[in-house]
Amino acid sequence: MARHLVTSALPYINGIKHLGNMVGSMLPADVYSRYLRQRGHDVLYICATDEHGTPAELAAKAARLPVAEFCAQAHDAQKAVYDGFQLAFDYFGRSSSRQNAEITQHFARQLQKNGFIEERAIRQVYSPADGRFLPDRYVEGTCPHCGYDKARGDQCENCTRVLDPTDLLNPRSAISGSTELEVRETTHLFLLQSKLQHEVEAWVARHEEQWPQLSSSIARKWLTEGLHDRAITRDLDWGVPVPADTWPELAAEGKVFYVWFDAPVEYIGATKEWSDAAPSGENRDWKSWWYEADGTVRYTQFMAKDNVPFHTVMFPATELGVREPWKKVDVVKGFNWLTYYGGKFSTSQRRGIFTDAALETLPADYWRYFLIANAPESDDSSFTWEHFAATVNKDLADTLGNFVNRVLSFSRKRYGDDVPAGGQGGEAEARLGEEIARLLAEYEEHMEALQYRRAAAALRALWSAGNSYLEDKAPWLEVKTDPEDAALTLRTAMNLIHLYAIVSEPLIPVSAAAMRGAFALEGDTAAWVTAEQAASLDAVPAGTPFTVPPVLFAKISEEDLESFRVRFGGADA
């Protein structure tokens, strides 16, 4: 048994996230965590809302709420959606926590002590109309690299290039919209990443073989272009304050740390939140996961490609510069974009399907399966309602759901409410066992390698193997001439249902629980099975009482599709 630390990109606090955010970080992290727990590993899955920076202030302003109150409400709203998606976080924290502030300030002090932070006077955008300096996201304009006219002052979400506000063409204030901007001098703290370039290169070289090509190529691109010293403070009212004991003048001016400096620290901060929230009598040692780890912790991160540079280059530079034994990531699983009919999902522009609306439309398992089966791993993938309906109807309703329903319904009709006995397995059952063992090994291999589309395909093949067996044996015909052999067929199929419940749990946990709950097995758990156990198909013995669960997956009709297109838009969206 190993110890696995799992984190997913922190969702911004400025609104409910869309399906692209879900499949690009939190959902695959949840699937992996569930799989590891079933295999018996010690798993800690940590996430949190990212509550600092201009998105929080702007969203609070739009909601006409104090920023602290807005963030508290938005955190609860997001957590409710993630609960609806069955995301089994061990802890879902907040970057505005006291713990994150303390650890962020500690990191800053250590970087200063080690010569990796310096004060610099810089020229920054100032808005007379707003009476304040404008931090990066408070400035919008045209990207000088790709011409996107809604680029922000920190990054262009179209081409993902990192920017400074002064890089933008035709800049305007995100607060007032004023284009009468000035450039004035102010002082900020800079992280001297250029002094850490070679250390980061060496660290990446030691780890990138474990990363998917997307993550390593992005890290290499940034390193090839060279690490630049970067401002890590901002002129905002909301954020982790610069500590007065180290930088009294900047603290007096109300400077706070840049969100991209404190947000990655929140993975550690949230773990300390988890530790501090432990029930009486339960010992949660947060430092054993992060500080002076003994080598038993394997740390895997999940994120979309726009976040990859910060976690493969920038935050490792911070950790290296602190000169303390903080745990660094082992594997960075990066994802491309999920598009909506070829157009980009966008939180800021409310384009695409958002997770709360998704749950209002269909149960979570429909979405979980589709997103994992079509995860944007090697390239971008497109969501269309037509593709979604075809996947749900074929894979979930026909291949899995129909198998479960017809096996249990037919057996109850012919043999009553207990699993029938039948005779010993023959050649067909032996072939089935071999096929199941092979497909299970394939499924496990892809899950271990974080290859989600391939894992979903292997899971689908496991379901299909049961259908092929059922069609070959045809118990509805066998029962007329050989009731004992028909009983064997149905008992074997019921064991497949129980197996499917176990191996499907990472992707479709609610439906998996319903399948497993159909059998009255004392002490039954969702613990993983070996290939030999799976091949034996004897976990559910004859005589076990069972029930027929409600239909697991209802088919999506053409009428349903039309209503979805009307509500969310279709090919012309």
Side-chain angles (χ1 to χ4, degrees):
M1 185 178 77
R3 303 178 73 211
H4 286 268
L5 176 63
V6 178
T7 64
S8 52
L10 308 184
Y12 267 131
I13 198 66
N14 62 332
I16 299 298
K17 303 299 110 177
H18 52 67
L19 293 183
N21 298 125
M22 180 63 67
V23 73
S25 58
M26 290 175 282
L27 179 57
D30 179 72
V31 169
Y32 186 54
S33 298
R34 286 176 176 275
Y35 169 75
L36 291 173
R37 291 189 192 106
Q38 285 185 274
R39 299 300 301 262
H41 298 297
D42 187 7
V43 179
L44 185 62
Y45 177 21
I46 294 292
C47 193
T49 38
D50 183 0
E51 301 187 9
H52 290 144
T54 52
E57 287 197 357
L58 290 171
K61 182 175 182 290
R64 298 182 179 180
L65 288 172
V67 66
E69 183 179 343
F70 168 81
C71 288
Q73 292 182 12
H75 171 86
D76 291 345
Q78 286 200 24
K79 180 62 165 58
V81 172
Y82 304 146
D83 288 345
F85 263 88
Q86 304 298 311
L87 301 184
F89 303 116
D90 287 288
Y91 194 80
F92 186 70
R94 302 180 60 186
S95 70
S96 61
S97 69
R98 168 186 55 82
Q99 293 87 340
N100 189 46
E102 292 172 353
I103 299 171
T104 297
Q105 291 174 341
H106 170 77
F107 269 42
R109 292 187 186 100
Q110 290 301 112
L111 290 164
Q112 168 77 358
K113 174 183 174 183
N114 297 330
F116 294 116
I117 288 181
E118 71 177 27
E119 296 182 37
R120 290 183 185 177
I122 64 170
R123 294 174 64 76
Q124 188 175 333
V125 175
Y126 184 88
S127 171
D130 300 305
R132 61 179 295 174
F133 284 102
L134 298 181
D136 39 29
R137 284 200 178 204
Y138 276 45
V139 186
E140 297 175 344
T142 300
C143 175
H145 303 288
C146 71
Y148 182 60
D149 65 359
K150 295 182 178 64
R152 302 186 306 252
D154 63 339
Q155 188 176 26
C156 174
E157 70 170 15
N158 184 58
C159 70
T160 76
R161 293 289 290 268
V162 173
L163 303 170
D164 285 315
T166 53
D167 295 334
L168 293 172
L169 307 177
N170 305 315
R172 59 189 178 275
S173 166
I175 303 172
S176 62
S178 174
T179 58
E180 296 180 7
L181 306 181
E182 301 175 1
V183 177
R184 297 184 182 180
E185 189 171 278
T186 185
T187 301
H188 281 287
L189 298 179
F190 275 72
L191 177 62
L192 306 183
Q193 293 185 134
S194 59
K195 294 176 67 173
L196 291 158
Q197 167 100 22
H198 297 307
E199 292 183 50
V200 176
E201 286 179 332
W203 178 81
V204 168
R206 292 195 301 271
H207 289 80
E208 63 180 328
E209 286 188 3
Q210 302 181 63
W211 302 350
Q213 177 64 29
L214 177 64
S215 300
S216 61
S217 63
I218 290 174
R220 280 291 160 196
K221 179 177 180 290
W222 271 52
L223 290 170
T224 300
E225 293 176 355
L227 296 189
H228 303 289
D229 301 338
R230 190 154 177 82
I232 58 168
T233 52
R234 293 291 187 269
D235 293 285
L236 291 170
D237 297 325
W238 177 249
V240 175
V242 169
D245 59 8
T246 311
W247 295 282
E249 292 182 4
L250 297 186
E253 293 174 8
K255 308 281 187 185
V256 300
F257 285 108
Y258 177 36
V259 64
W260 267 115
F261 183 75
D262 85 86
V265 179
E266 169 58 9
Y267 296 118
I268 306 172
T271 308
K272 191 170 190 304
E273 292 174 55
W274 162 78
S275 177
D276 292 345
S280 178
E282 181 180 336
N283 180 32
R284 294 177 178 176
D285 183 6
W286 70 274
K287 278 195 172 183
S288 72
W289 292 93
W290 283 104
Y291 193 79
E292 294 181 337
D294 60 7
T296 64
V297 175
R298 181 171 175 81
Y299 178 18
T300 308
Q301 276 189 329
F302 296 82
M303 66 197 61
K305 61 185 176 184
D306 57 335
N307 286 333
V308 168
F310 299 100
H311 295 84
T312 58
V313 175
M314 291 178 65
F315 188 55
T318 297
E319 287 188 292
L320 289 164
V322 170
R323 300 294 192 239
E324 292 177 340
W326 296 98
K327 176 64 183 174
K328 300 170 189 64
V329 68
D330 294 300
V331 178
V332 179
K333 174 65 174 180
F335 289 86
N336 286 283
W337 302 128
L338 176 70
T339 65
Y340 187 69
Y341 285 91
K344 191 177 178 186
F345 280 80
S346 174
T347 300
S348 60
Q349 298 176 41
R350 297 293 300 176
R351 183 171 60 242
I353 306 169
F354 287 75
T355 48
D356 55 348
L359 292 177
E360 292 169 2
T361 307
L362 288 167
D365 281 356
Y366 291 63
W367 301 105
R368 288 177 62 104
Y369 177 79
F370 175 83
L371 292 172
I372 291 299
N374 297 279
E377 293 175 292
S378 59
D379 52 21
D380 293 349
S381 62
S382 177
F383 178 94
T384 71
W385 283 109
E386 296 74 18
H387 186 201
F388 176 74
T391 300
V392 167
N393 291 346
K394 181 181 178 182
D395 295 357
L396 295 179
D398 287 344
T399 306
L400 177 61
N402 185 51
F403 178 82
V404 172
N405 184 265
R406 64 174 174 164
V407 166
L408 297 180
S409 297
F410 184 74
S411 186
R412 184 176 63 179
K413 178 181 178 181
R414 291 292 185 170
Y415 297 95
D417 293 330
D418 295 337
V419 175
Q424 296 296 315
E427 185 178 334
E429 287 69 36
R431 284 198 309 270
L432 174 65
E434 291 174 1
E435 179 73 354
I436 291 298
R438 182 186 68 80
L439 290 171
L440 179 60
E442 184 179 319
Y443 179 52
E444 292 171 350
E445 178 184 349
H446 296 318
M447 289 289 275
E448 299 284 350
L450 307 177
Q451 296 173 326
Y452 286 97
R453 296 178 78 144
R454 292 180 178 179
L459 179 60
R460 184 167 56 244
L462 277 164
W463 300 341
S464 295
N467 282 275
S468 296
Y469 168 77
L470 206 63
E471 292 300 319
D472 289 344
K473 292 295 295 289
W476 47 89
L477 299 178
E478 283 182 310
V479 74
K480 298 175 182 178
T481 57
D482 193 341
E484 186 177 16
D485 200 34
L488 164 66
T489 300
L490 291 169
R491 190 184 81 232
T492 302
M494 290 185 188
N495 272 277
L496 283 174
I497 292 171
H498 187 266
L499 173 66
Y500 294 162
I502 292 172
V503 299
S504 303
E505 199 273 347
L507 276 71
I508 48 173
V510 174
S511 305
M515 285 189 282
R516 204 160 49 81
F519 303 101
L521 289 169
E522 187 175 347
D524 187 39
T525 71
W528 207 255
V529 294
T530 65
E532 292 75 20
Q533 289 171 328
S536 67
L537 295 169
D538 61 1
V540 182
T544 301
F546 72 90
T547 57
V548 182
V551 173
L552 294 178
F553 301 99
K555 281 196 170 186
I556 297 174
S557 67
E558 186 54 46
E559 291 75 18
D560 295 329
L561 264 183
E562 183 57 32
S563 70
F564 299 156
R565 295 188 197 102
V566 169
R567 179 179 178 185
F568 298 101
D572 57 347

